[in-house]
Amino acid sequence: QQVGVMLSNEALTSLAQLPPEHSVELLEFVLDRAQDLRHVSNYIVGTIARGFKSQKGTKRGGESQEAVQRYSKHLQENGIQLDPSAHQALGSIPANDAVEILEFVAENAGHLKSPSAYICGSVSRVSGPNGSADSNWTPESVGMNPQHVPSDITFLERRVLSVNASTQGEQIDLTSYLALRRL
């Protein structure tokens, strides 16, 4: 039976150390990938302890398929085997995006349940309409009656509902959500 897990006090304290816009950026990132992370709270604490770097406004360019192959080889040399579906997914998106995903996997492999599943999920988010996983969100997609969802639902609320509707990973309870809103 799935039990909802709150963000730890340590995670909330760590988030409070960041500028508000960086906390929101990290939370949006984590919410988008919570189903791929073993322990959301530990990931947040670890990321901040290692020195969270904002990706907002960061432009990548000039990456090639050779760079994608180098990162794939680097993962393999470090014992991270990617299945054929992950390689196929990476080949279906621009090299810049593929390298960014592979960099994340290389840096966070210990936190990922399945690097191949993470890659496939990330590629589907990158290649989705308007490049946004949230653009297809509906109340029905998380098992809710549309009449029970306010018309002014926020992005953060949609992401929390999506994370909690997933059958894997930690869930975000009301107390944690309210704490996130205060950041």
Side-chain angles (χ1 to χ4, degrees):
Q1 181 179 2
Q2 185 98 21
V3 178
V5 177
M6 295 175 30
L7 287 179
S8 69
N9 286 336
E10 186 179 12
L12 293 172
T13 301
S14 295
L15 284 166
Q17 295 172 8
L18 295 175
E21 63 275 7
H22 291 181
S23 292
V24 169
E25 179 183 350
L26 179 57
L27 288 170
E28 287 174 351
F29 179 84
V30 167
L31 286 173
D32 199 34
R33 290 160 177 82
Q35 68 274 10
D36 299 315
L37 299 172
R38 285 190 181 120
H39 303 287
V40 172
S41 292
N42 291 348
Y43 176 81
I44 290 171
V45 171
T47 298
I48 293 171
R50 286 187 302 275
F52 173 75
K53 295 181 187 102
S54 175
Q55 297 299 309
K56 297 285 185 193
T58 301
K59 295 286 184 193
R60 302 184 62 88
E63 300 291 1
S64 65
Q65 286 303 320
E66 290 79 26
V68 174
Q69 291 171 352
R70 272 195 316 275
Y71 274 99
S72 295
K73 183 178 178 185
H74 171 74
L75 290 174
Q76 186 176 11
E77 289 169 351
N78 287 289
I80 302 166
Q81 299 298 319
L82 301 180
D83 63 31
S85 63
H87 288 290
Q88 182 178 0
L90 288 168
S92 71
I93 60 173
N96 293 342
D97 293 330
V99 167
E100 185 174 343
I101 291 168
L102 288 169
E103 284 176 345
F104 177 84
V105 170
E107 293 170 7
N108 298 285
H111 294 287
L112 298 173
K113 293 176 187 175
S114 167
S116 291
Y118 171 81
I119 288 169
C120 292
S122 294
V123 168
S124 70
R125 285 186 286 275
V126 168
S127 60
N130 302 323
S132 171
D134 194 53
S135 63
N136 290 328
W137 189 92
T138 64
E140 293 89 349
S141 69
V142 293
M144 293 190 67
N145 180 335
Q147 295 177 340
H148 297 155
V149 178
S151 60
D152 62 345
I153 187 169
T154 66
F155 173 80
L156 181 60
E157 292 164 340
R158 288 192 304 268
R159 296 303 302 140
V160 167
L161 288 171
S162 295
V163 166
N164 287 350
S166 74
T167 58
Q168 301 175 340
E170 296 182 30
Q171 292 192 337
I172 300 170
D173 66 352
L174 180 60
T175 304
S176 295
Y177 167 73
L178 292 173
L180 296 174
R181 285 189 54 201
R182 300 278 305 167
L183 295 174

